[in-house]
Amino acid sequence: MPKPRPRRRFHRTASEPFQPLRTLLHITLLQGLYYLAASLLILFTALVAGRPFSLDLIFSWRAVRADTTVGWTLGVVWLLCALVMVIAQVLIIARSKLVLDFTLTIHFLHLLVVSLFEHQLPTSWLWWALQGASVGVMGAASTWACRWRELRPMTFGVGLAEGYELIDRAGRGQAQMAGDEEEGGTEGETEGEGR
């Protein structure tokens, strides 16, 4: 019985050098998707609420306020945007080890864009709390999703190798069950019989 090959570890070797252009492309792509998701979610929310849409809703920290319903709604929308970015990070990055780096980069660049848009650093405690919650949600959910994807069993080929069969939780082979159904037999009739 051949042993399964061990999984390849992701160590950088001479054949896999650091690729700054690829990393820059990933950062640009994720940042663009972040603002696209935020724009679509905020536009939808503004239209449903009957409010006019403006770039201030996306790039101004002043719009996220604790004293208005619009401010709290924007906070929830930004958290939904963090959840949408989980899908983007799983598809683009696909490595749980890199998720926190890219999550922090997305939010740091968002801080820079917001500061440049408003010509000052944000002073709203709610905006900072929202960014912290967004980093937490995006980082934890993306890490979990990437690890889930990394740890899934890998299957190669379509059929079973000769002499092997899949075993279900009850300990009964699925290949045997398929053969039972084709022959029209029942579970009790074929149990213990050789093939």
Side-chain angles (χ1 to χ4, degrees), residues 30-53:
L30 286 172
Q31 198 71 32
L33 288 172
Y34 183 66
Y35 285 125
L36 177 66
S39 298
L40 292 175
L41 288 170
I42 291 173
L43 174 65
F44 174 75
T45 305
L47 290 175
V48 168
R51 298 275 185 172
F53 177 79

Side-chain angles (χ1 to χ4, degrees), residues 24-143:
L24 185 63
L25 175 69
H26 284 170
I27 290 170
T28 306
L29 187 59
L30 286 172
Q31 198 71 32
L33 288 172
Y34 183 66
Y35 285 125
L36 177 66
S39 298
L40 292 175
L41 288 170
I42 291 173
L43 174 65
F44 174 75
T45 305
L47 290 175
V48 168
R51 298 275 185 172
F53 177 79
S54 69
L55 289 179
D56 288 343
L57 295 174
I58 300 170
F59 298 117
S60 175
W61 56 267
R62 297 177 199 279
V64 180
R65 299 170 34 175
D67 60 343
T68 65
T69 307
V70 173
W72 284 102
T73 305
L74 277 176
V76 171
V77 168
W78 279 109
L79 288 177
L80 287 175
C81 182
L83 289 174
V84 169
M85 288 305 295
V86 169
I87 298 167
Q89 285 191 356
V90 169
L91 295 176
I92 294 171
I93 299 169
R95 301 238 339 253
S96 60
K97 202 168 148 179
L98 302 175
V99 163
L100 186 60
D101 296 335
F102 280 97
T103 299
L104 290 173
T105 302
I106 288 170
H107 286 83
F108 177 72
L109 291 175
H110 181 59
L111 171 66
L112 290 179
V113 168
V114 166
S115 298
L116 290 173
F117 187 81
E118 288 287 334
H119 302 293
Q120 72 178 32
L121 283 173
T123 57
S124 168
W125 65 269
L126 186 62
W127 188 88
W128 285 103
L130 175 64
Q131 297 310 304
S134 181
V135 166
V137 166
M138 191 186 303
S142 295
T143 301

Side-chain angles (χ1 to χ4, degrees), residues 163-194:
Y164 295 98
E165 64 182 18
L166 295 175
I167 306 296
D168 66 359
R169 290 185 182 191
R172 185 162 171 218
Q174 291 178 359
Q176 181 181 355
M177 290 187 325
D180 292 346
E181 292 170 3
E182 289 173 4
E183 296 172 9
T186 63
E187 190 174 326
E189 292 175 1
T190 58
E191 202 167 332
E193 294 179 11

